[in-house]
Amino acid sequence: MDSLVFKQDRPLDLIAIGRLCIDLNANETQRPMEETKTFTKYVGGSPANIAIGVSRLGMKAGFIGKVSDDQMGRFILQYLKENNIQADNIFTDKTGAVTGLAFTEIKSPTECSILMYRDNVADLKLDPREVSEEYIKQCKTLLVSGTALAKSPSREAVFLALEYARKHDVVVIFDLDYRPYTWESETDTAIYYHLAAEKCDVIIGTREEFDMIEKIRNFGDSDNLATAQRWFSYYAKLVVIKHGGGGSIAYTKDGDQFQCGIFKTNVLKTFGAGDSYASAFIYGLMNRFNVLESMRLGSAAASIVISKHSCSEAMPTLEEIQGFMDTADEVLATAN
Amino acid sequence: MDSLVFKQDRPLDLIAIGRLCIDLNANETQRPMEETKTFTKYVGGSPANIAIGVSRLGMKAGFIGKVSDDQMGRFILQYLKENNIQADNIFTDKTGAVTGLAFTEIKSPTECSILMYRDNVADLKLDPREVSEEYIKQCKTLLVSGTALAKSPSREAVFLALEYARKHDVVVIFDLDYRPYTWESETDTAIYYHLAAEKCDVIIGTREEFDMIEKIRNFGDSDNLATAQRWFSYYAKLVVIKHGGGGSIAYTKDGDQFQCGIFKTNVLKTFGAGDSYASAFIYGLMNRFNVLESMRLGSAAASIVISKHSCSEAMPTLEEIQGFMDTADEVLATAN
Amino acid sequence: MDSLVFKQDRPLDLIAIGRLCIDLNANETQRPMEETKTFTKYVGGSPANIAIGVSRLGMKAGFIGKVSDDQMGRFILQYLKENNIQADNIFTDKTGAVTGLAFTEIKSPTECSILMYRDNVADLKLDPREVSEEYIKQCKTLLVSGTALAKSPSREAVFLALEYARKHDVVVIFDLDYRPYTWESETDTAIYYHLAAEKCDVIIGTREEFDMIEKIRNFGDSDNLATAQRWFSYYAKLVVIKHGGGGSIAYTKDGDQFQCGIFKTNVLKTFGAGDSYASAFIYGLMNRFNVLESMRLGSAAASIVISKHSCSEAMPTLEEIQGFMDTADEVLATAN
Amino acid sequence: MDSLVFKQDRPLDLIAIGRLCIDLNANETQRPMEETKTFTKYVGGSPANIAIGVSRLGMKAGFIGKVSDDQMGRFILQYLKENNIQADNIFTDKTGAVTGLAFTEIKSPTECSILMYRDNVADLKLDPREVSEEYIKQCKTLLVSGTALAKSPSREAVFLALEYARKHDVVVIFDLDYRPYTWESETDTAIYYHLAAEKCDVIIGTREEFDMIEKIRNFGDSDNLATAQRWFSYYAKLVVIKHGGGGSIAYTKDGDQFQCGIFKTNVLKTFGAGDSYASAFIYGLMNRFNVLESMRLGSAAASIVISKHSCSEAMPTLEEIQGFMDTADEVLATAN
């Protein structure tokens, strides 16, 4: 698939736009949160994790977002800068917004849940007037995360960023990252995800996320190929559909199809799998790995992160991924 | 311009979607509203007026909208039905919304103003779940009015209607009809007007309305041809830019350009000019008049309506328009 | 009952606080509003009507309130000034609020209804910081209307006005004037009416209004004497309970009880009965009529107003009331 | 001061109403929160702490409040029950509210701050319909905390509880506990604190809190005696004004005045001083200690809690307080 053209003369490899938040991960695991005592603080949020992930893989990343004007917001800014992420286009809210929180509960590798604080959060207050056309045209790739579409004015900021990206030949990658909280209704979700996805070159999501978009349109078949083809009638050139333990499947506009399995690991929790997959997969695509090799990088990165306590902090380097792939057992994909 | 294809086998000529409201026109004119005593009640709202206008010209129109559950809402429903407009897809709000009001003040032919009541109005509560794909595919043309984009959930209802229209080859006509009230900001306005206009076949607006969309994009030239051409890169095939007393100018995707002047009349007020223009222009387009002839029909209808006290009630028949054109003085366009 | 002491050295007889709105009365009566064509505009709102009423009876009235920054607001200000009401403490909203509207429908003398526009209204935006202690101490009587308690910040403005009035020995008269719209719930209504009524010297309301306050307290008896006595344990010295066509009944803290009937009239509509009753009754109390004579003045004023098309415009002079009482048939009270 | 009469035949010593939240105390102290890594979770909120405090001192406490329907809410319920607090009148929110959070930052004993999460919190959703007259009449004392007045419907729930308490001769103690977040304005704060304090028998607050109530009333003197006397004109019989390190001063309606100093301790942070003071002071008042002895108990309890990491968990038993008082240095009051 050679149709994604990354403009090589741009100073930034990737700009992510959207959610910046704090994960508070229970230190005591294998029990319900009612019985946990202490929490450890990490930077979180899907696009933040992906920016950190690609940065750790050696790419130059920037971010368009908004943080709260308090200790939490300053902690996020500081952590991103320490991870070599350009933070000039991260604004500080002045309206009294807070940083979104995600308290994680790890009862067992298969029973994980998140308690979210998403009221009045700074990240959703990103204003379209803060999205700079000049900044966007300095990058090869724009990474959009679906949660930023959940509310105004962040929603409009994303649509403007998408318009600028298309205008300046920036490759747009959309990680669906659907989180029901903060959305008004499933209908709204389906409508805005569709309007955004129409403008993207690469769309990555779980089968359930694609189903959510398709629901109000009554296709009702969960047919991976049909899903991919519908997006090819807009700008999409590559669609990746993830099936959890069943691996992932990718389709290209020019007719190719790739299936990728997973790597066995000692699972602590499932959080962070999607973000680590996305960052290593994008790294692959932008660094001349082919689609299947990129998927395998993503899959390996995911297996590394789900064996560790955090998401952002656990994002692997290329050496770690390659070392892991050399020794881990690979399981074939069942997704089709 | 033969590229607009109206599906002739559809039972409805046009479905309008959006605002349904009440005009309360001061009976005492030539004075400020502080000094008026009585008001006359009419059905109003741009898409309502256009539906009434095309219906009076003999076309079969339907409507997708929402009215309040009170005497005002019932009056609107009754009036539309009396005007042969299919009202099955007009829903009645159950949340306590009211009907939008427009009190008009006519100080002189050139000093008219409107005092709007747009808080908690029923028309903006149209929900995307109330937009029927089955209904939309029964029409040749969907008429979208910009005010319906001002707020959720009406905004999402319009985007879903646009998706259905495109899917079923319904010709989409967008009357910009920009009204600052109810919009959060000019940035939001520009973003959502753009997202909607991208999906439309015909776009009609004043120069000021097109400028408003272009403002955040810094084209800044108010160049009619450049404006039209930007829309031709999406789905648009015909763009009409109105210049008030300077007439109107139309561009087609295949490169034609038409200028149309105005007809002299005894102006009472300026309200309703745009709606009557749109209805007669659409009538022309859909009934094998050429673009310029359609513009002249629109222009004549506008001159008739601005000489009368109401908008909806004053919408002319074809006979009235033709009679008027036979006798009225025509002034050449200055717009270019 | 000589326990109400009006401070005679104050320049203003009465200051009213609260709602200022517009009545739009259908000119075509004896039909549903769906079939009415035209409306006549009047100043309305219970405390506005009472201020106009006492002013027409020769008293010096002022007003604390807020109007919209548009033609409707300016019309109200102008009308009050023409009626000799001091308007220096009426503020003009700068947030885009509108004037509340009341469209009246008169199907028959016993079937009248009101369609209210109460969203985002200026009168409920009166801010406690706009309530002047200096101003309140210049009056003998403060007239509070219950609708001003329906929402913040008007609610807090009333509580502050009540505190100032008590501090400066202003007699506080509370006209319950309960209107369900704009109140969050009946529980809220009952709580805030109670907190306000505790601080009032005279409480006037219909039996249904007193029942509404008592409902969450489970007295459940609608016993007029018990109702009155509960208020005497706070500051109240006089409680008037109105029973529509059954007349009204008043209790004083020192143990007296008065029943007053009604005057026969040619009823056009029921609106305005309460406001005209209150203004003439207050006039009586403050001008050395005894309680029963004051009630009869109120009753006569009410009969005059309900035979006319408007409320505010129809408020009678003392001559009109006395002329009417000389000729009208009086019906004995059935309330007890 | 023998005028506070606690009804001895009631099964509950005290019912607290209001805020239930979670404290997340940084484990790493002496540094800004940007640099802390982990947090320990405790039950918090002023009335919760006071209920826990009096319970640990051997009194029987109940609570009227609302928790979120999640792990945080269940943790609070469980902890209160483990501390012998009757929780039958704590309701679980069903609208998606969250538990309020207080992240504490301890830079030094004198530089402590709190980062609050107070948007959409369950405690402020306590509805007046959930306040049971039957329950309130089962207690000797109702403890009201000012933060519960900050927003509807919790505000109305408190006013109804106050009405029930007065009706059934429950002694009402008001801990001002003013927190600026969630209040609309200082004017609102001053108005509602006043309306509530008017109905209370005992009022406890810092000098700054009393100043805040007095500000809009322009007394402007911060005169402790004048402050106390103004409240004695309503129901208050005892007013306690705290001056931090300067100790506290109490006034009784019958003219007594008491000053109490503080006990030296190894201060870790200042949080929890007020709540521990209140609980031991109330314990004293209700267990036949005189006013000054009760103040000394409060002062000792405060010194114990500010030397420890938590508030709720650190609440002392009577033995701890007495042991501490035997050995700690007492510093004389400077407040007057």
Side-chain angles (χ1 to χ4, degrees), chain C residues 2-219:
Chain C
D2 50 11
S3 52
L4 286 177
V5 180
F6 300 99
K7 293 278 176 184
Q8 294 305 324
D9 56 339
R10 307 266 170 98
L12 288 170
D13 291 306
L14 175 142
I15 291 175
I17 183 169
R19 188 155 57 115
L20 293 163
C21 74
I22 294 282
D23 289 345
L24 284 158
N25 290 3
N27 293 322
E28 302 81 16
T29 60
Q30 321 308 327
R31 73 191 68 180
M33 204 190 299
E34 287 88 336
E35 296 169 22
T36 62
K37 293 275 180 196
T38 65
F39 297 91
T40 297
K41 179 179 75 169
Y42 300 101
V43 167
S46 173
N49 289 338
I50 294 173
I52 292 163
V54 299
S55 181
R56 208 156 285 166
L57 289 163
M59 296 167 69
K60 185 63 201 151
F63 208 97
I64 301 173
K66 187 168 266 185
V67 293
S68 59
D69 189 13
D70 58 21
Q71 294 96 327
M72 297 296 190
R74 288 187 291 273
F75 169 70
I76 291 171
L77 277 178
Q78 192 175 302
Y79 186 83
L80 293 181
K81 286 177 197 165
E82 286 167 11
N83 278 271
N84 297 313
I85 293 164
Q86 200 177 70
D88 319 33
N89 282 262
I90 301 178
F91 300 87
T92 296
D93 171 78
K94 296 296 178 192
T95 71
V98 294
T99 294
L101 303 176
F103 288 91
T104 60
E105 174 186 66
I106 304 172
K107 291 192 196 169
S108 76
T110 56
E111 288 176 292
C112 301
S113 72
I114 299 182
L115 174 55
M116 298 289 281
Y117 278 71
R118 292 293 293 160
D119 290 291
N120 192 28
V121 289
D123 62 83
L124 291 174
K125 302 208 183 262
L126 180 68
D127 191 283
R129 283 163 289 201
E130 292 163 335
V131 174
S132 158
E133 183 171 356
E134 281 310 300
Y135 190 55
I136 285 177
K137 75 188 199 195
Q138 289 171 34
C139 73
K140 299 172 188 160
T141 302
L142 179 71
L143 183 279
V144 172
S145 164
T147 45
L149 292 165
K151 255 203 163 56
S152 297
S154 165
R155 178 184 291 164
E156 291 81 28
V158 171
F159 281 118
L160 195 58
L162 284 170
E163 188 185 324
Y164 291 149
R166 291 241 66 85
K167 181 172 168 190
H168 296 290
D169 300 317
V170 173
V171 172
V172 183
I173 302 181
F174 189 10
D175 189 320
L176 299 183
D177 186 38
Y178 170 58
R179 310 278 171 151
Y181 17 80
T182 67
W183 282 97
E184 273 294 305
S185 70
E186 291 203 340
T187 312
D188 277 19
T189 312
I191 288 169
Y192 287 110
Y193 264 91
H194 202 288
L195 279 174
E198 289 176 20
K199 296 177 180 295
C200 297
D201 299 284
V202 180
I203 307 172
I204 306 173
T206 64
R207 183 63 250 174
E208 294 72 25
E209 288 171 335
F210 282 103
D211 285 347
M212 180 274 307
I213 303 179
E214 295 177 0
K215 199 189 293 181
I216 61 163
R217 294 169 178 93
N218 303 312
F219 305 129

Side-chain angles (χ1 to χ4, degrees), chain D residues 10-15 58-61 138-141 286:
Chain D
R10 307 267 170 98
L12 287 170
D13 290 308
L14 177 142
I15 291 175
M59 294 167 70
K60 186 62 202 153
Q138 289 171 33
C139 74
K140 298 171 188 160
T141 302
M286 293 183 70

